[in-house]
Amino acid sequence: MSLTGLHFIGSDKIESSIKSSHNTFNAINPITGETLEPDFIEGTDLHAQFAAKLAAKAFVSFSQTSSTERAEFLETIADEIMNLGDELITRAQLETALPKVRLEGERGRTCHQLRLFAEVLREGSWVNAIIDTADANRAPLPKPDTRSMQIAIGPVVVFGASNFPLAFSVAGGDTASALAAGCPVIVKAHPAHPGTSELVAAAILEAIEKCQMPNGTFSMLQGSTHSIGESLVKQAQIKAVGFTGSHKAGRALFDLATSRAEPIPFYAEMGSINPVFLLNSDESFDAEKFATNYVASLTMGVGQFCTNPGLLIIQETQQLDNILIQIKQQVEKSLSGTLLTKNIQTSLESGLNRLEQQKGIKLLAKNQSCNTYNASNNSIFTISAEEFVENSILQEELFGPVSLVVVCSTQEQVLEVASVLQGQLTATIHTQMNDVEFIKNLTTQLTHIAGRVLFNSYPTGVEVCRSMVHGGTYPATTDSRSTSVGTQAIYRFTRPVCFQDTPQEILPNALKNGNPLNIYRMIDAQLTNKQ
């Protein structure tokens, strides 16, 4: 496919006038700094308005498609993405500097997400159909027949992420879950990989044509400035937003979404330092193995995973010096990588400068930087528990391969450190279970802030499945009740509706008598007496 640099609004590639009359931007090769062709047109308010109106029109019919029809649609999108072949992987490599094997794996994950939601749609219980039957004999007033289920919320805006050009981007989890729910999607593509985004958007449009879905079911706008994203969030037809990105951008858009005349849900994943607790490590503990695995997790994807373990809390034992030595050695021999964008590199350098100026910070290890346009170092620092607890700046995420080791002298200090932690996507405990009661107390604390608590493993790598929760309390996300990974993400883009005394021929199929997926709640007095 030949890239055009145009916007995809519904089934059309939109160019309102001569291309040269528009502001444009380009993708940049992170390794060389080279400008990549073609030019991509900056989105405008008119593009946002057009896309929102088309999505609202499509919602009327798309939300009424059957679960089977939408399942086939999602599977066709997956097929069309795979049909892009090496062209997609090659372009993504140019725009991200990510290795081929990583991108191929991410493509597989993207298609798996789509097909998993198709399975959920066919199974059907996601609508959470609940029936309370009528009781005409109830005193003092008869009980009505009430039935509820989840329905699509409306057109959704999805912001693509910089660090996952496929799995958290144009056809990523937010798009898959919104389409599964019956919501048209407008994607604001990330400017770091516009060519990759255009290829995937074209695959989705091909699936729309093959499955005969309404025009406006999907649109994609490009842009390197904040204005197009802000414009999309402001459109009255938009009913929810999914966002993955920085805290600054996420908070600004969240405030915009909630200050509209009609406030709307804004689901933002904004960052996390993902604390790892290493506890009670006696002489049998394999310090070298832990250090190897921890540093590998820290530097995976050049530290640009939202689950990057940027904080290590160690309970002081006889093994402490050995553990720190092993971590130092692993960092010093680790390979540096190329960051995704110049903005990420600049922000990381600024954050490191600020970190190094904080009281009590000591550099444990740093490796050699590679010789690329967006080069980075792998770095680990240490600090005492007392100084960490007193300084909230030390909890700011540094998006890259950087970690801080907090040394605690007692279990009480470990619990104190845990008590001051802000919201996290993950929290991990490494323990030999020497003190079960202490581990229970710590686990309870961590469940109050984290969306996922792990034991004796590492947070990088998020399984796409029905039970996964990729969320957490603020500032990790703006809504701790939801997940951006796994099939429960569909509930971001639905809302409950109750039907009272509704004729069978009017009811949605999911609520009609005899549907095996209904949850009957026979709570009237007559049934209670029989039991």
Side-chain angles (χ1 to χ4, degrees), residues 304-321:
Q304 297 166 115
F305 280 14
C306 49
T307 51
N308 165 267
L311 185 67
L312 175 59
I313 299 98
I314 300 181
Q315 183 180 342
E316 189 171 354
T317 65
Q318 292 180 345
Q319 276 269 48
L320 175 63
D321 289 342

Side-chain angles (χ1 to χ4, degrees), residues 175-231:
T175 297
S177 55
L179 292 175
C183 299
V185 171
I186 304 171
V187 170
K188 162 54 179 71
H190 198 283
H193 42 78
T196 304
S197 297
E198 183 177 320
L199 289 169
V200 176
I204 296 176
L205 292 182
E206 186 68 23
I208 285 174
E209 183 176 348
K210 287 185 175 181
C211 296
Q212 298 182 322
M213 291 297 167
N215 186 24
T217 296
F218 172 83
S219 297
M220 185 193 72
L221 302 182
Q222 301 270 19
S224 63
T225 68
H226 298 308
S227 60
I228 183 60
E230 292 172 353
S231 181

Side-chain angles (χ1 to χ4, degrees), residues 354-365:
R354 189 179 185 192
L355 176 65
E356 290 169 344
Q357 294 170 12
Q358 302 307 306
K359 179 184 176 183
I361 286 290
K362 297 178 182 178
L363 177 66
L364 176 64

Side-chain angles (χ1 to χ4, degrees), residues 82-292:
M82 293 305 299
N83 288 342
L84 291 170
D86 289 341
E87 181 182 11
L88 176 63
I89 302 302
T90 299
R91 180 70 190 195
Q93 282 183 279
L94 283 174
E95 293 183 329
T96 67
L98 295 172
K100 182 179 180 181
V101 65
R102 150 72 192 275
L103 291 167
E104 288 175 338
E106 191 179 329
R107 178 178 60 184
R109 170 182 169 150
T110 304
C111 294
H112 168 63
Q113 287 178 151
L114 290 161
R115 293 187 172 112
L116 182 59
F117 276 108
E119 291 178 12
V120 168
L121 289 173
R122 286 195 172 93
E123 187 272 334
S125 62
W126 69 275
V127 300
N128 194 28
I130 302 174
I131 295 177
D132 281 316
T133 55
D135 181 2
N137 298 318
R138 190 184 69 173
L141 295 172
K143 178 180 177 294
D145 180 285
T146 55
R147 307 176 181 221
S148 68
M149 65 179 289
Q150 298 290 320
I151 67 167
I153 197 170
V156 169
V157 167
V158 170
F159 285 79
S162 64
N163 57 337
F164 282 87
L166 300 174
F168 281 82
S169 206
V170 176
D174 284 341
T175 297
S177 55
L179 292 175
C183 299
V185 171
I186 304 171
V187 170
K188 162 54 179 71
H190 198 283
H193 42 78
T196 304
S197 297
E198 183 177 320
L199 289 169
V200 176
I204 296 176
L205 292 182
E206 186 68 23
I208 285 174
E209 183 176 348
K210 287 185 175 181
C211 296
Q212 298 182 322
M213 291 297 167
N215 186 24
T217 296
F218 172 83
S219 297
M220 185 193 72
L221 302 182
Q222 301 270 19
S224 63
T225 68
H226 298 308
S227 60
I228 183 60
E230 292 172 353
S231 181
L232 282 169
V233 174
K234 290 178 181 178
Q235 299 305 312
Q237 298 89 345
I238 302 305
K239 301 302 180 182
V241 180
F243 173 89
T244 302
S246 70
H247 180 268
K248 181 179 179 181
R251 182 56 198 248
L253 290 170
F254 170 80
D255 290 342
L256 186 63
T258 55
S259 65
R260 295 179 6 152
E262 179 196 1
I264 57 174
F266 186 90
Y267 300 106
E269 180 204 305
M270 300 182 297
S272 176
I273 55 175
N274 304 295
V276 175
F277 291 80
L278 177 56
L279 309 172
N280 302 323
S281 49
D282 60 25
E283 51 280 348
S284 67
F285 178 73
D286 192 336
E288 181 180 3
K289 180 180 178 181
F290 173 83
T292 300

